[in-house]
Amino acid sequence: MTMHQICVRHNFESAHRLPHLNDKCKNLHGHSWWVEVTVSAPALGDDGTVVEFGIFKKALRAFVDEYLDHGAMLGDQDPLASVLADHGCKVYRFGASPPRPDRHDGERSRWQAERHATDLAYPTVEAVAVMLGRVARQALQGMLPCAAGAGLGHVKVTETHTNSAHFVPATSGLPPAREPAAAGTPAAGTLAAGTPAVAGTPAGTPATAGTPAAAGIPAAAGIPAQARQDIDPAAPLTRERSRM
Ligand SMILES: Nc1nc2c(c(=O)[nH]1)N=C([C@H](O)[C@H](O)COP(=O)(O)OP(=O)(O)OP(=O)(O)O)CN2
């Protein structure tokens, strides 16, 4: 079987520390991280793509820029996590538990992003790759104009020139192929033949205005509402997703 693959990259500046590893890693230190995500599909969509670069990057970047860039990634048990958060610093916690229902909106909103890493105790490079794989996969599911059967290929996260981690999902990463569209009715997430892709308005999916502030997804300009919903960490993780 042939396979098409595309790759997008994004970078972010973030501190982390790994107090359970060696002496060097227990210091709060920063890296210029790179994340690279590939998306695979057995056949190209009607628009000749696996997934349109711009829309996919916007969805991925929205999460990274909002929750990780110029912040700190820490284990939930790390005492620095609450100290930094109490001082207004951006903190993304690995291994965090859901807040009690009576907690304030800010805490609930933070959790919506942190639930991608709830089963990952520490922000190792490997764990960051898993977490960003979940974000990327949710961005892909749903309406993005992508080829039938398109799914997450792999995620590479680089923290230094010498250190990186690859995450490859246990499954192929391909969600079930979408049903072929009835004539004249483009399937969700696919482009109708001959339908030009209008930026931010994928064919077959009405872009509902104004959405997911509640989902913790930044309402970045140009990201289709549905795409933002798709990276909504509040969406329940399926068994398959949680294996990623
Ligand atoms: N498997 C992993 N090992 C280590 C991780 C990790 O995330 N996964 N992280 C660290 C530290 O965070 C540290 O940033 C990197 O440590 P190290 O490579 O030892 O340090 P340098 O980048 O300074 O290495 P040099 O090549 O000597 O410059 C450690 N291990």
Side-chain angles (χ1 to χ4, degrees):
M1 188 171 78
T2 58
M3 187 63 76
H4 302 272
Q5 196 165 67
I6 60 101
C7 182
V8 298
R9 304 180 79 210
H10 190 41
N11 70 312
F12 57 99
E13 315 303 322
S14 178
H16 77 154
R17 77 174 193 134
L18 303 168
H20 64 300
L21 291 188
N22 58 38
D23 270 358
K24 189 154 63 172
C25 301
K26 77 179 183 201
N27 294 301
L28 186 64
H29 60 280
H31 296 291
S32 273
W33 302 75
W34 279 94
V35 56
E36 182 179 296
V37 177
T38 64
V39 181
S40 306
L44 299 180
D46 291 337
D47 66 343
T49 75
V50 171
V51 62
E52 202 276 309
F53 284 129
I55 295 175
F56 182 52
K57 278 191 295 190
K58 278 179 185 157
L60 190 63
R61 286 174 178 171
F63 182 94
V64 168
D65 293 351
E66 175 78 6
Y67 297 110
L68 306 181
D69 189 39
H70 283 77
M73 297 184 288
L74 296 168
D76 181 52
Q77 301 303 319
D78 191 322
L80 289 188
S82 55
V83 172
L84 289 173
D86 288 349
H87 284 77
C89 295
K90 188 192 284 188
V91 176
Y92 184 96
R93 294 171 304 166
F94 282 67
S97 307
R100 291 199 318 266
D102 59 339
R103 300 303 295 173
H104 57 77
D105 285 352
E107 202 169 316
R108 287 206 302 273
S109 149
R110 183 167 72 156
W111 161 249
Q112 286 165 2
E114 291 174 340
R115 64 183 297 169
H116 285 295
T118 187
D119 58 334
L120 304 164
Y122 300 101
T124 59
V125 186
E126 293 92 327
V128 175
V130 173
M131 181 269 286
L132 288 173
R134 291 170 177 166
V135 172
R137 192 169 194 189
Q138 280 202 329
L140 282 173
Q141 288 174 339
M143 57 60 72
L144 285 171
C146 57
L152 183 67
H154 75 263
V155 180
K156 179 181 178 185
V157 170
T158 303
E159 65 161 11
T160 70
H161 289 297
T162 53
N163 301 349
S164 62
H166 273 260
F167 169 61
V168 183
T171 63
S172 69
L174 300 177
R178 296 186 178 92
E179 292 292 322
T185 313
T190 60
L191 285 172
T195 305
V198 179
T201 314
T205 309
T208 320
T211 327
I217 302 305
I223 301 178
Q226 183 65 49
R228 282 183 267 125
Q229 286 175 324
D230 290 338
I231 54 171
D232 172 5
L237 293 177
T238 62
R239 273 182 79 78
E240 190 186 7
R241 280 186 200 161
S242 61
R243 265 191 283 123
M244 286 178 56

